[in-house]
Amino acid sequence: YTQLIDALRESYPAVHRLTGAEFFRFAATEYILLHPPRSPTLLRYGENFPGFLDEFEPASSVPYLPDVARLEQLYLDSYHAAEAQPLPTPAFAKYLSERMTQPDLRLHPSARLMTSPFPVSRIWEVNVQSSTIDGKQRISGGPEYLLIVRPRATVEVRRVSRGAHAALAALE
C-alpha cells in the first residue's frame, strides 16, 4: 500500500498537512481498501478521495476537509487538461462585438469551477505555501466561488464573485 498512499499524499498535500501523517495514512489505507487502482498508472488514482472524505466518519470533525480535497483534485484536473491558447483581450472584445447576439463561448479546457461554504482556497493556500503553521492561524471568510484554470504553464486558483461564477458556469 505504500506506493498508493504516497500517490495520494502527493495528490492531496494540503489534506495530508491538515490531518497529519498518521491520520492521513489511516484514511488513505481505508480509501485504498474501498477503491483499489483500476489502472497500472497512478496518474488519476485518488480522484474519488474527496467523496470518500465526505463519508469518512473519522474525518467528520473537520467539515472543510472534503472541500480542500476537492480543490486539490480540481487543481490536478486543470493541470492535466488539454492545452489551448486563451483569447487575448482585444480579440475577445472584437469577437463579442461581432457576435453579440449569438456568442459561442467556451471555457478554457483547463477551467474548473467550485463553490464551498468554507474559505477553502485560503485554507489550501496556507497549507501548501506556508512553511510553518503555528496552530494559531486564523482564516476568516465565508463561502467561496472559485475558478481553477491553467491559461499558460501554471494553474491558478482564483476567487471570483458569485455573479462571475454563475456566468462562467453558464458557459460549461
Side-chain angles (χ1 to χ4, degrees):
Y1 290 154
T2 303
Q3 187 178 19
L4 296 175
I5 292 169
D6 289 347
L8 289 170
R9 188 184 70 246
E10 288 177 24
S11 294
Y12 299 97
V15 171
H16 179 263
R17 188 163 188 190
L18 285 164
T19 63
E22 187 176 334
F23 184 87
F24 188 87
R25 177 174 282 288
F26 166 62
T29 301
E30 293 297 312
Y31 175 79
I32 293 163
L33 291 172
L34 292 171
H35 303 278
R38 297 176 188 246
S39 166
T41 176
L42 296 180
L43 182 64
R44 306 246 348 129
Y45 185 68
E47 63 189 356
N48 300 319
F49 195 56
F52 166 81
L53 290 174
D54 271 329
E55 306 297 322
F56 191 52
E57 181 62 32
S60 64
S61 65
V62 187
Y64 53 83
L65 192 63
D67 278 357
V68 172
R70 263 188 263 309
L71 174 55
E72 291 190 296
Q73 183 58 53
L74 292 172
Y75 187 98
L76 289 172
D77 291 346
S78 181
Y79 179 81
H80 292 292
E83 297 289 336
Q85 283 294 348
L87 200 56
T89 303
F92 179 67
K94 182 179 180 208
Y95 174 84
L96 282 180
S97 69
E98 292 172 355
R99 301 206 37 160
M100 190 54 122
T101 57
Q102 276 189 311
D104 179 27
L105 299 175
R106 281 179 247 121
L107 293 177
H108 190 276
S110 70
R112 304 293 186 269
L113 296 170
M114 178 181 175
T115 61
S116 176
F118 307 104
V120 69
S121 71
R122 298 175 202 302
I123 295 167
W124 173 77
E125 286 168 353
V126 165
N127 284 282
V128 295
Q129 295 175 357
S130 179
S131 59
T132 59
I133 297 176
D134 62 9
K136 298 175 186 174
Q137 191 81 0
R138 285 228 172 253
I139 299 174
S140 60
E144 284 190 335
Y145 302 89
L146 303 174
L147 167 65
I148 300 98
V149 66
R150 190 205 68 236
R152 290 172 190 79
T154 305
V155 176
E156 301 169 11
V157 176
R158 301 176 183 175
R159 289 180 281 277
V160 297
S161 69
R162 184 178 183 181
H165 190 274
L168 291 168
L171 297 176
E172 283 188 305

